[in-house]
């Protein structure tokens, strides 16, 4: 089993931690009111927890012949033998169905001919080499 953490773009990390900080400040200000608005407090708490979970737990695991990805509660599994190509991408908006990544530089993995996912492993060379060991037919662009 190989474990790869997501690389993190400084801008994305600052924006997400900034949102968490803003929501926590808003919750603290809400606590000082004589009447506590429970629903907004719960929603803000859950949103903050979700962002923290994503920031701290975005990773990719290669186990047996599967690539597992997770970003907070968002998880998935890809059969490595079904991967057709891996393409480098740099930018904010990759045209993919799933983006469990915290960086603007990463790879679009196309599998099952039409499905795709965007990943940004910290050790990308090792990550791709490990995928190629399992499926040498992967086209790397």
């Amino acid at each position: 089993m190989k474990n790869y953490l997501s690389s993190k773009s400084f801008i994305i990390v600052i924006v997400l931690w900034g949102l968490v900080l803003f929501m926590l400040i808003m919750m603290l200000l809400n606590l000082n009111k004589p009447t506590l608005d429970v629903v907004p407090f719960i929603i803000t708490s859950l949103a903050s927890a979700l962002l923290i979970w994503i920031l701290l737990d975005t990773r990719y695991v290669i186990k047996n012949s599967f690539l597992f990805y997770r970003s907070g509660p968002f998880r998935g599994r890809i059969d490595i033998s079904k991967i057709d190509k891996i393409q480098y991408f740099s930018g904010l908006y990759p045209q993919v169905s799933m983006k469990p990544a915290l960086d603007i530089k990463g790879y679009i993995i196309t599998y099952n001919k039409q499905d795709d996912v965007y990943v940004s492993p910290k050790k990308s060379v090792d990550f791709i080499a490990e995928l190629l060991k399992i499926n040498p037919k992967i086209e790397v662009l």
Side-chain angles (χ1 to χ4, degrees):
M1 178 168 73
K2 300 277 184 163
N3 202 355
Y4 299 91
L5 295 176
S6 174
S7 60
K8 297 177 181 178
S9 167
F10 181 74
I11 295 170
I12 291 174
V13 170
I14 292 297
V15 167
L16 292 178
W17 279 116
L19 282 170
V20 169
L21 184 62
F22 174 75
M23 287 188 277
L24 292 175
I25 290 170
M26 296 308 290
M27 286 181 356
L28 290 173
L29 291 175
N30 196 27
L31 285 175
N32 292 335
K33 289 184 178 180
T35 59
L36 179 65
D37 295 328
V38 176
V39 173
F41 186 82
I42 291 172
I43 291 171
T44 307
S45 298
L46 291 174
S48 296
L50 175 66
L51 289 177
I52 292 170
W53 190 5
I54 288 171
L55 280 162
L56 298 178
D57 191 32
T58 298
R59 67 184 68 229
Y60 318 103
V61 176
I62 297 174
K63 185 176 179 183
N64 299 327
S65 63
F66 289 98
L67 167 63
F68 297 90
Y69 60 85
R70 68 182 188 200
S71 184
F74 309 106
R75 296 160 189 255
R77 179 179 76 170
I78 299 170
D79 185 352
I80 295 173
S81 66
K82 306 272 187 190
I83 295 176
D84 301 316
K85 69 179 177 179
I86 300 174
Q87 181 177 359
Y88 177 77
F89 181 84
S90 178
L92 286 175
Y93 303 109
Q95 300 296 316
V96 294
S97 55
M98 185 59 140
K99 186 183 174 194
L102 296 172
D103 203 348
I104 58 173
K105 295 178 183 174
Y107 297 91
I108 298 172
I109 297 176
T110 304
Y111 60 100
N112 292 338
K113 301 290 183 204
Q114 61 190 2
D115 297 324
D116 50 19
V117 64
Y118 177 82
V119 297
S120 63
K122 231 181 224 184
K123 298 179 181 178
S124 58
V125 174
D126 295 341
F127 177 78
I128 292 173
E130 193 65 32
L131 292 176
L132 287 171
K133 280 183 195 174
I134 298 169
N135 181 2
K137 294 178 183 177
I138 296 173
E139 179 184 4
V140 180
L141 306 172

